[in-house]
Amino acid sequence: MDFNSEKEQLITQLIRETIANNLTWAVKPPPYSLKQATENYVPLYIEGEYRNTRIGIYEIRQKYFTDIDEYHWTENLGICIVQDPEIVVWQVEEYSPALKELFNMARHQASGIRGILGM
């Protein structure tokens, strides 16, 4: 099994578990390595535990330089596996329709909007 296949399989399984309400997502501070010694910015980090493993999904903003002193911000999504205390041992940051779907589902669940609406 290759790397991309494993990544997509993990994302698909996390989507299934989220739909079945077997996986709970919560907003947390990003792990140390995602926010230190980098110009990248993580505005939203959501974490859940699946099979005794901490899984994080996040939005990341990065500077895209068009010249030596000119840049604009780009956005991407990432998924990572975190080990205690705050060590990211695996991560992928790339566009994936499945990862976007998972991120949106996790963000919706973590927002608590169903509770606000009394559902």
Side-chain angles (χ1 to χ4, degrees):
M1 187 178 294
D2 66 60
F3 176 76
N4 277 333
S5 176
E6 289 175 341
K7 175 195 65 159
E8 291 300 322
Q9 187 176 356
L10 173 63
I11 292 169
T12 300
Q13 189 62 35
L14 294 173
I15 288 171
R16 286 184 186 133
E17 295 297 319
T18 302
I19 290 170
N21 290 320
N22 294 330
L23 179 55
T24 303
W25 296 96
V27 174
K28 301 224 172 155
Y32 180 82
S33 64
L34 291 180
K35 62 183 181 176
Q36 297 299 318
T38 180
E39 290 186 345
N40 298 340
Y41 173 62
V42 179
L44 183 59
Y45 176 83
I46 306 168
E47 191 173 283
E49 187 169 319
Y50 178 65
R51 295 189 177 174
N52 297 319
T53 303
R54 291 170 52 199
I55 307 286
I57 52 178
Y58 54 96
E59 182 179 50
I60 187 163
R61 295 183 184 155
Q62 302 161 315
K63 288 182 179 178
Y64 178 79
F65 284 89
T66 55
D67 199 353
I68 196 158
D69 60 349
E70 293 180 23
Y71 65 88
H72 62 273
W73 290 95
T74 61
E75 291 183 355
N76 217 342
L77 295 178
I79 184 168
C80 64
I81 295 175
V82 182
Q83 291 182 357
D84 287 329
E86 295 298 313
I87 301 168
V88 175
V89 296
W90 177 84
Q91 77 186 74
V92 176
E93 293 170 355
E94 64 185 23
Y95 177 76
S96 160
L99 182 56
K100 184 166 181 64
E101 179 69 20
L102 177 61
F103 181 77
N104 287 336
M105 292 169 65
R107 181 171 54 181
H108 181 264
Q109 187 191 81
S111 73
I113 195 163
R114 294 181 64 89
I116 294 168
L117 297 173
M119 301 172 88

